[in-house]
Amino acid sequence: MSAADPRAVAQKLIGLVDLTELGDACRTADVSALARIGRDRVAALCVWPQFIGEAKRALGSAKTAIATVINFPDGGEDIERAVSDAREAVRDGATEIDLVLPWRAIVAGRDAVAREMVGAVRANLPDHIVLKVILETGALAQPALIARAASIAIGAGANFLKTSTGKASVGVSIQAARVVLETIAKSGKAVGFKASGGVRTAEAAAAYLALAEEIMGAGWASRSTFRIGASLLLGELERLAGVAKK
């Protein structure tokens, strides 16, 4: 891992992980097992909407957030459905909503659709609920489109910008992450960043953390500003950090 103190970096990254189970064959038992692993250790547990109740039960009094996905993974344009699903998820116990931006509308030059969806979902959520907008940067591909999508999401009320669903053929890249982070920095707003979709090594996770602090400032990254979608890496991060695996 490219850092002066690999153990310290790994320890920090563990607390910034969104532990995710969004497999097509996910079962209640899988969510329960994930909650046991992540409770009071990682930043959030991200599950399908139908498993929010089980995540809440399994986490109990843990401080780990409960995240779920909306308009996922396709990023459609049904604003009413997105709003309804988000409100239902909050009623069920979600504290973070990961909304896929209708990125095809941006590619087609119909920015208003994306702006309206993010704004409508944000307006229908309580203030304390974190709204993470998934840009699908691999599909947008071009830096100018990624920057435009990021600006739209920020302007419409996103609390976090997330790079990828993890379901597209192309996920996150350092180049795309840089564009998103630089857009956040230029906005001057308190918006967080999440690298997700293909973060497969501890070195890669550390690189995204280093990039965030290069652009946003040393010490910027915390649970409220930086997340990493690296569920498969939790064991490796624990080994590097020298902590016992749960």
Side-chain angles (χ1 to χ4, degrees):
M1 187 180 298
S2 56
D5 187 348
R7 181 168 181 165
V9 173
Q11 287 174 336
K12 182 168 186 174
L13 282 168
I14 289 170
L16 303 177
V17 166
D18 280 0
L19 200 57
T20 303
E21 176 50 87
L22 294 172
D24 293 337
C26 179
R27 303 168 301 163
T28 299
D30 299 322
V31 174
S32 301
L34 204 67
R36 287 194 297 273
I37 293 169
R39 65 186 320 246
D40 284 332
R41 173 167 288 189
V42 299
L45 186 70
C46 185
V47 297
W48 291 110
Q50 62 266 35
F51 294 114
I52 294 171
E54 177 57 26
K56 185 176 181 180
R57 185 203 66 76
L59 286 171
S61 61
K63 295 179 181 179
T64 304
I66 299 174
T68 196
V69 289
I70 299 297
N71 203 32
F72 184 95
D74 292 335
E77 299 183 15
D78 190 336
I79 295 171
E80 288 187 11
R81 173 70 183 273
V83 169
S84 176
D85 287 351
R87 293 176 69 178
E88 182 178 356
V90 171
R91 286 195 297 269
D92 289 344
T95 56
E96 299 185 355
I97 300 295
D98 289 21
L99 169 72
V100 182
L101 192 75
W103 56 269
R104 292 178 187 83
I106 292 174
V107 173
R110 294 182 289 110
D111 295 0
V113 174
R115 187 176 295 110
E116 185 179 351
M117 178 176 285
V118 177
V121 171
R122 178 68 271 176
N124 281 275
L125 295 177
D127 290 345
H128 71 280
I129 299 297
V130 174
L131 176 60
K132 303 207 291 288
V133 176
I134 306 173
L135 304 178
E136 202 68 288
T137 56
L140 289 170
Q142 300 174 27
L145 283 178
I146 295 170
R148 198 165 92 218
S151 294
I152 289 167
I154 292 170
N159 302 116
F160 258 81
L161 298 185
K162 179 176 171 180
T163 56
S164 315
T165 60
K167 301 290 188 177
S169 59
V170 179
V172 67
S173 68
I174 283 288
Q175 294 79 9
R178 180 175 289 279
V179 173
V180 175
L181 282 160
E182 288 177 346
T183 304
I184 292 172
K186 289 176 184 176
S187 77
K189 295 188 177 182
V191 175
F193 169 80
K194 177 176 174 179
S196 62
V199 184
R200 296 188 176 88
T201 66
E203 288 79 7
Y208 287 110
L209 176 60
L211 177 67
E213 298 208 328
E214 171 199 327
I215 294 170
M216 305 302 294
W220 175 79
S222 69
R223 284 191 182 192
S224 63
T225 60
F226 181 90
R227 301 286 180 83
I228 192 86
S231 296
L232 297 177
L233 295 179
L234 186 58
E236 183 182 354
L237 291 172
E238 289 175 327
R239 179 182 62 78
L240 291 168
V243 299
K245 186 176 180 180
K246 287 192 175 184

